[in-house]
Amino acid sequence: MDSVPQMSRAAVLNEFGEASRLHVTEVLTPVLKREDEMLVRIHATSINPLEWKMRQGMGLPPLVWRRLLGQPMILGFDFSGTVARVGRDIQGFQVGDEVMGAMPLHGTYAQYVLVRPSDGRTAVVRKPKGISHEQAALVPFAGLVAYSGLVKYGRLQTPSPQARILVVGASGGVGHLAVQMARRGLGAACVVGVCSSRNADFVRGCGAHEVISYDRTPPEAIVSSHPDWAGRFDLIFDTIGVEAYWTEVAPKLLAPNGQFVTAALPPSRPGRPGEDVSPLGVPPLLLKLVRRHRSGRYHLIPGLLGGLPSHSGLPVIARWMEEGKVSAHPAAAFDLEQIAEAHQASEGGRTVGKLSVRVA
């Protein structure tokens, strides 16, 4: 095992704003501050849309984001790498172990990160055999969102051979993993994916029994196009935040005990992410969420607030990966020095699968 250098590389966010605000520079390598921490040498990370929303300062005042992210501000949830150092209280991991996981808020756009396995919001497991670091780093955060949407909030059992599931945004990072988990992990009877017509074959390849092309069949036309689907779905999982699937589709498609789960806040302005809300827009948004929650079937995944099954979910996902049931599609690969380009590619909103970032 190589010695740990005093200085290492990281992509640091100097100011909130455009992707050009990310700069790769030398930073002090983190050192163990607690006996229940371990230092991981990161070989690869990946891009999640929440990260560029954080980079833009969406959802919270800049001063709050600065306090949450610390100094230097290093974004990034996902990591796959090698354990470089361990505290005396670490159990189940040792120096040299290859691991993958997701941090609760930030830190993986770097060569080294401190990981505390006992933290309830931190997910870390041994990397599945036969899976590269670049492949493994694509999965943890998006995989946990997908798993929680199906199992924790969608209330599906493992397995769920009778389940009927509609996944919106089925070709995206979370969506294509959710389709695979639903079909190959849970063994659902019917998995329908919603995506553009150009990505329909890809989503079928992920395991969808049927595909709805949103550029040919708008949400309000789904039930009329498939009258036999009315009232028969156990779960609608909206991974991207499209209002019409709650307002138009859910009332017609969901079974009496069916659930609606979304991984994104409802938009407050047309064409903008739900996280892009002004201070004046927060009260109406909260009121809308409370009203929907009272229905008993609307669930928003609070990914940054400890709402992911980090300890129970990632081991299951890793097992599915090792069994060949779940794999992330690499849309494109970037080096750490190209992190700004990777963010710009994600912001374009047309990513099929996930974007990989090589660190080592």
Side-chain angles (χ1 to χ4, degrees), residues 68-188:
L68 291 173
L69 297 173
Q71 290 295 330
M73 292 193 294
I74 301 173
L75 302 177
F77 302 138
D78 295 314
F79 66 88
S80 183
T82 306
V83 177
R85 287 179 178 167
V86 296
R88 285 181 295 183
D89 295 340
I90 289 291
Q91 297 181 357
F93 300 99
Q94 60 186 6
V95 172
D97 284 347
E98 292 187 315
V99 295
M100 72 174 196
M103 296 296 288
L105 188 61
H106 62 93
T108 66
Y109 292 179
Q111 287 184 301
Y112 289 89
V113 67
L114 287 176
V115 178
R116 187 154 62 96
S118 60
D119 175 42
R121 297 189 303 148
T122 298
V124 58
V125 296
R126 281 191 173 85
K127 181 177 69 67
K129 296 178 181 178
I131 306 294
S132 70
H133 283 294
E134 286 185 37
Q135 188 73 20
L138 297 172
V139 175
F141 183 77
L144 283 169
V145 174
Y147 182 85
S148 63
L150 296 169
V151 177
K152 180 176 181 178
Y153 299 98
R155 302 178 183 177
L156 298 178
Q157 302 298 313
T158 306
S160 292
Q162 305 302 318
R164 300 174 65 85
I165 304 162
L166 179 78
V167 179
V168 183
S171 62
V174 173
H176 86 295
L177 293 174
V179 169
Q180 294 175 62
M181 291 178 188
R183 176 71 184 271
R184 301 166 186 162
L186 302 181

